[in-house]
Amino acid sequence: MTVLKEVLEIAEKIKNMEIRGAGKIARFAAYALQVQAEKSKATNVDEFWGEMKQAAKILFETRPTAVSLPNALRYVMHRGKIAYQSGADLEQLRYVIITAAKEFIHNSEKAIERIGEIGAKRIEDGDVIMTHCHSKAAISVMKTAWDQGKDIKVIVTETRPKWQGKITAKELASYGIPVIYVVDSAARHYMKMTDKVVMGADSITVNGAVINKIGTALIALTAKEHRVWTMIAAETYKFHPETMLGQLVEIEMRDPYEVIPKEELETWPKNIEVWNPAFDVTPPEYVDVIITERGVIPPSAAIDILKEEFGWALKYREPWED
């Protein structure tokens, strides 16, 4: 069984982070499966399916914790597995896999635009919106509302310690949108002048909890207290199937020097530890709606997305495993 050189090259680039960002990783993974299916020299359906599973396994092992990667593989391989098990011949199976890969790539490219169109319907003329970190999906909602002629203002939190808020503030301002830039700890102070909170997600669990940049949960909590709507904008491939089985999402701890410069930290007393978690978990009860390219859902409907998109069930094995 041979896995193509092009597939191995894509796997290598994902592994060493030459290909990065959730959407890009997902699209390249689907494309690698498409290339494998198109160029496979397999002479019978069993050999072909064996090659596909081998390619998926290699791709999966490059960054198993990046939720978008396994989801792209599942999307394509789940459809392939159904065809294989229902007795498709070699050419039919090849067609199913190529079509599924192209479909995933197309949907993923269109997702941000669709989320913008769907989310903008929830934004009203005159709204003051608060956002945190830098999310293409969240920005798409605000930009689309602005392009529709809605007069909005956006409060952007700086998002320490990596200051992603600066990127968001400049991007929104480049579209002409008025922006107010504040320190993270001013979020509650300005919540009383806020009408909606719009944020992105790194991943979403089966019960609708949102894993996103550290500080997201605090803003959502404050919004709840002020009865301000919290909307999370996220593509369906951010939904995290492993959480169906009760696994907890691991929270990445990052370098303390992002918080305190190295030279300074070296002069500090040794009994001070600097902790720098990258993400936090926002409970579903602090989220009003999740805006996906498939429509607006309540957090409790996250499980339905997982079942429909990725063929996820509790007695689950990955489509490339058996």
Side-chain angles (χ1 to χ4, degrees), residues 289-301:
V289 292
I290 300 170
I291 301 156
T292 77
E293 72 276 20
R294 299 262 308 271
V296 177
I297 62 164
S300 58

Side-chain angles (χ1 to χ4, degrees), residues 8-20:
L8 298 174
E9 281 166 4
I10 290 172
E12 194 46 45
K13 284 181 175 163
I14 292 173
K15 194 173 193 156
N16 62 29
M17 291 181 81
E18 269 179 71
I19 295 171
R20 51 188 301 275

Side-chain angles (χ1 to χ4, degrees), residues 255-266:
D255 198 322
Y257 301 136
E258 289 181 353
V259 181
I260 308 290
K262 191 169 193 278
E263 324 54 271
E264 189 185 337
L265 195 55
E266 280 166 356

Side-chain angles (χ1 to χ4, degrees), residues 13-199:
K13 284 181 175 163
I14 292 173
K15 194 173 193 156
N16 62 29
M17 291 181 81
E18 269 179 71
I19 295 171
R20 51 188 301 275
K24 215 169 181 180
I25 288 174
R27 286 189 290 275
F28 267 98
Y31 175 67
L33 292 178
Q34 179 189 328
V35 171
Q36 179 68 40
E38 282 169 346
K39 299 190 175 176
S40 166
K41 299 271 193 289
T43 51
N44 64 62
V45 71
D46 294 334
E47 188 189 345
F48 176 80
W49 183 239
E51 283 182 6
M52 291 312 306
K53 289 199 296 189
Q54 191 60 35
K57 215 172 271 167
I58 289 167
L59 289 158
F60 173 69
E61 278 157 10
T62 57
R63 300 272 307 277
T65 55
V67 68
S68 67
L69 169 76
N71 277 351
L73 301 172
R74 283 173 193 129
Y75 186 94
V76 178
M77 294 295 283
H78 167 56
R79 285 152 181 78
K81 186 177 182 177
I82 291 170
Y84 175 70
Q85 287 177 340
S86 45
D89 66 26
L90 178 56
E91 287 317 307
Q92 285 168 332
L93 184 55
R94 193 194 304 270
Y95 175 78
V96 165
I97 286 177
I98 292 168
T99 306
K102 286 180 172 171
E103 193 177 77
F104 180 88
I105 292 164
H106 175 78
N107 292 348
S108 150
E109 282 168 340
K110 285 273 167 281
I112 299 286
E113 203 180 304
R114 284 286 299 137
I115 288 169
E117 289 162 9
I118 294 166
K121 293 189 175 118
R122 302 286 172 123
I123 306 292
E124 288 157 74
D125 193 33
D127 272 353
V128 174
I129 299 165
M130 187 179 288
T131 192
H132 183 65
C133 198
H134 180 255
S135 153
K136 285 195 176 76
I139 284 174
S140 181
V141 171
M142 296 179 269
K143 182 183 186 293
T144 308
W146 176 259
D147 290 344
Q148 289 169 354
K150 291 173 183 170
D151 179 23
I152 59 168
K153 232 197 208 88
V154 184
I155 299 172
V156 177
T157 51
E158 58 180 2
T159 322
R160 288 264 302 139
K162 295 280 280 178
W163 315 97
Q164 288 96 333
K166 290 180 180 177
I167 307 168
T168 301
K170 288 176 192 165
E171 186 175 336
L172 291 170
S174 75
Y175 304 134
I177 300 171
V179 173
I180 300 162
Y181 182 81
V182 300
V183 299
D184 292 336
S185 44
R188 185 176 183 274
H189 182 69
Y190 289 115
M191 193 56 79
K192 55 183 166 296
M193 64 178 271
T194 302
D195 301 295
K196 309 259 163 56
V197 171
V198 181
M199 300 184 284

Side-chain angles (χ1 to χ4, degrees), residues 174-297:
S174 75
Y175 304 134
I177 300 171
V179 173
I180 300 162
Y181 182 81
V182 300
V183 299
D184 292 336
S185 44
R188 185 176 183 274
H189 182 69
Y190 289 115
M191 193 56 79
K192 55 183 166 296
M193 64 178 271
T194 302
D195 301 295
K196 309 259 163 56
V197 171
V198 181
M199 300 184 284
D202 203 76
S203 65
I204 294 171
T205 69
V206 65
N207 66 337
V210 171
I211 290 95
N212 196 42
K213 184 62 61 213
I214 192 79
T216 301
L218 268 176
I219 292 174
L221 170 66
T222 302
K224 183 84 175 163
E225 174 206 13
H226 285 78
R227 292 179 171 74
V228 169
W229 257 60
T230 293
M231 310 201 287
I232 297 295
E235 307 90 318
T236 49
Y237 57 73
K238 300 276 185 75
F239 286 70
H240 209 308
E242 282 87 350
T243 57
M244 287 275 285
L245 308 175
Q247 264 105 318
L248 292 173
V249 176
E250 231 173 275
I251 299 294
E252 180 191 349
M253 281 302 248
R254 293 183 60 85
D255 198 322
Y257 301 136
E258 289 181 353
V259 181
I260 308 290
K262 191 169 193 278
E263 324 54 271
E264 189 185 337
L265 195 55
E266 280 166 356
T267 67
W268 279 27
K270 289 290 164 268
N271 50 344
I272 299 178
E273 287 180 47
V274 177
W275 290 2
N276 181 19
F279 306 104
D280 60 21
V281 181
T282 302
E285 51 272 26
Y286 299 159
V287 175
D288 292 287
V289 292
I290 300 170
I291 301 156
T292 77
E293 72 276 20
R294 299 262 308 271
V296 177
I297 62 164

